[in-house]
Amino acid sequence: MTKPKLRIGLIGTGFMGKAHVFGFASAPRVFDLPYDLELHTVADITVDAANRAAAAFGFAHATADWRRIIDNPEIDVVDITAPNALHKEMALAAIRAGKHVYCEKPLAPLAQDAYEMALAAEAAGVKTQVGFNYLCNPMMTLAREMIAAGELGEIRGYRGIHCEDYMADPAGVFTFRHDPAGGGALADIGSHALATAEHLCGPITRVMGDCVTMIGERPDGKGGTRKVEVDDVGRAFLRFENGATGSIEGNWIATGRKMQHDFEIYGTKGALAFSQEHFNVLHFFSTADAKGRQGFRRIEASPDHAPYGLFCVAPGHQLGFNDLKAIEVAGYVAAIAGKGPEPFNFRKGLRIQTLVETIQTSSREQRWIDVK
């Protein structure tokens, strides 16, 4: 039986653009999707760059003008992986054209921008997705299920970090990630720590932030330097609606760390520990184990943890980063077809940006602030 087509237009062809393409390419081969996905048009900053991307990624058409994707009636989904400052303009244009929008995180540099984007999408009735694919990990799903089932008892504490070292070199040039509007480690990668915290432990109600700039200026790439005003390290103490307390950290100068997106959760009956650097494993401690036998046990990802089995029939063989993108794409496509909820829509993206800005305000004012 022939399935209807869902035609994709991609804006931006960097690392995340490539990751999205892997998701679109893999998802139909792993999942029974309600649509056939067609890579229709890709946009980049020059015609040559767009043509190279089309040839490499398998798009039928290429353009140096992203508005051509918006204006093309054949395209159903606009996928935005362009620099953060462009997300709002592109997404609102796509929404006005009645297209579904898949946007990499952060949704927008400012919460007010994200709010306008979420309202526009909801008013138009289009389906949206923000790229938080770490939440698609079967081990993350298992952790959430264990918490909901009461296997950890009452949750008392949470610790989450996202540490990398891609900004650790002070000779590294000033980039769009250093833009005072929406830049900084807390917004760039601490947002993942915040999304994971709420995904597992529920709403955060109060925050106390501490955002620090360690490298005060960087080369501008033109022979001079530019002052850096955003945080290299963003931390926050947290209070959760369920009574738990905790902390998160986003740190892009953590020398030696490449993907330390980790969490630990402590309850009255047990605890969980996880590291993205070994993300096919979840560690579980249970107070129900006999004395002398207690310790963190290793739970290995396997076909028992859906949808792992659709990728591999054997435990221990492991999923990869791009497999998580495929899972994210599958959930989003199902939502477009009306067969499930949006996994992480613009409203949820707004929530994360609101948390980021509340922590930044708390850091400046040096006080606890309630999250609205």
Side-chain angles (χ1 to χ4, degrees):
M1 182 177 177
T2 302
K3 296 179 181 179
K5 290 186 180 295
L6 193 70
R7 297 177 175 88
I8 314 298
L10 173 66
I11 305 174
T13 63
F15 164 71
M16 288 313 305
K18 190 173 185 179
H20 282 223
V21 170
F22 284 145
F24 287 126
S26 298
R29 291 160 176 80
V30 177
F31 299 90
D32 183 15
L33 300 182
Y35 296 102
D36 284 331
L37 305 187
E38 180 181 311
L39 300 181
H40 190 285
T41 303
V42 60
D44 209 328
I45 56 175
T46 68
V47 172
D48 286 345
N51 284 333
R52 287 195 299 271
F57 297 162
F59 281 85
H61 308 282
T63 179
D65 183 359
W66 61 266
R67 294 171 183 81
R68 290 182 177 271
I69 289 178
I70 306 298
D71 295 337
N72 192 325
E74 294 182 355
I75 293 174
D76 305 298
V77 177
V78 175
D79 184 12
I80 302 169
T81 65
N84 304 342
L86 302 177
H87 289 183
K88 179 183 177 181
E89 180 185 5
M90 293 175 173
L92 289 179
I95 291 166
R96 285 193 296 268
K99 301 184 188 300
H100 306 293
V101 184
Y102 183 9
C103 185
E104 236 336 286
K105 50 72 49 188
L107 178 56
L110 302 174
Q112 179 59 39
D113 294 335
Y115 177 68
E116 293 175 27
M117 294 161 73
L119 282 186
E122 291 163 1
V126 299
K127 302 297 183 180
T128 59
Q129 174 70 30
V130 185
F132 280 93
N133 60 305
Y134 299 131
L135 302 181
C136 299
N137 184 351
M139 293 290 96
M140 202 75 74
T141 303
L142 175 62
R144 193 179 190 193
E145 290 172 351
M146 293 173 73
I147 293 166
E151 294 183 53
L152 274 64
E154 178 185 346
I155 302 302
R156 291 173 168 169
Y158 180 91
R159 290 198 299 162
I161 58 175
H162 191 127
C163 295
E164 303 187 35
D165 66 356
Y166 57 92
M167 294 290 184
D169 184 357
V173 299
F174 190 102
T175 74
F176 72 89
R177 289 184 168 85
H178 296 102
D179 191 321
L186 181 66
D188 197 37
I189 55 179
S191 53
H192 285 299
L194 289 165
T196 300
E198 288 211 320
H199 183 70
L200 296 175
C201 291
I204 295 166
T205 57
R206 300 193 77 203
V207 299
M208 176 65 183
D210 182 31
C211 299
V212 182
T213 304
M214 300 299 294
I215 301 173
E217 65 177 23
R218 288 183 177 273
D220 63 4
K222 302 176 182 178
T225 61
R226 287 189 65 176
K227 182 180 179 180
V228 176
E229 301 177 41
V230 300
D231 57 290
D232 291 308
V233 184
R235 300 183 180 95
F237 289 116
L238 313 173
R239 302 273 178 87
F240 291 88
E241 187 177 81
N242 63 7
T245 65
S247 65
I248 63 95
E249 175 180 329
N251 184 337
W252 62 20
I253 58 169
T255 304
R257 287 298 181 183
K258 308 306 176 184
M259 178 44 72
Q260 192 186 21
H261 178 60
D262 296 6
F263 68 78
E264 293 186 355
I265 304 174
Y266 313 112
T268 54
K269 296 181 180 179
L272 293 172
F274 170 87
S275 175
Q276 184 70 22
E277 291 181 345
H278 306 280
F279 75 76
N280 285 268
V281 173
L282 180 66
H283 294 276
F284 173 48
F285 179 94
S286 174
T287 60
D289 291 344
K291 300 295 183 182
R293 300 291 186 272
Q294 290 184 348
F296 278 91
R297 71 186 69 162
R298 176 187 174 100
I299 304 174
E300 194 86 39
S302 76
D304 293 323
H305 308 114
Y308 178 103
L310 297 178
F311 291 87
C312 183
V313 298
H317 286 54
Q318 307 193 355
L319 301 183
F321 175 85
N322 290 315
D323 296 327
L324 303 187
K325 270 298 175 195
I327 298 170
E328 183 175 80
V329 165
Y332 181 44
V333 170
I336 291 173
K339 297 182 180 296
E342 295 157 299
F344 206 97
N345 61 19
F346 278 12
R347 179 65 61 172
K348 292 182 179 179
L350 164 62
R351 170 65 179 179
I352 299 305
Q353 193 59 38
T354 299
L355 287 169
V356 167
E357 291 188 15
T358 304
I359 292 168
Q360 291 169 336
T361 300
S362 170
S363 177
R364 288 193 301 271
E365 299 181 2
Q366 298 184 8
R367 66 183 180 92
W368 281 91
I369 297 181
D370 293 335
V371 180
K372 296 179 181 179

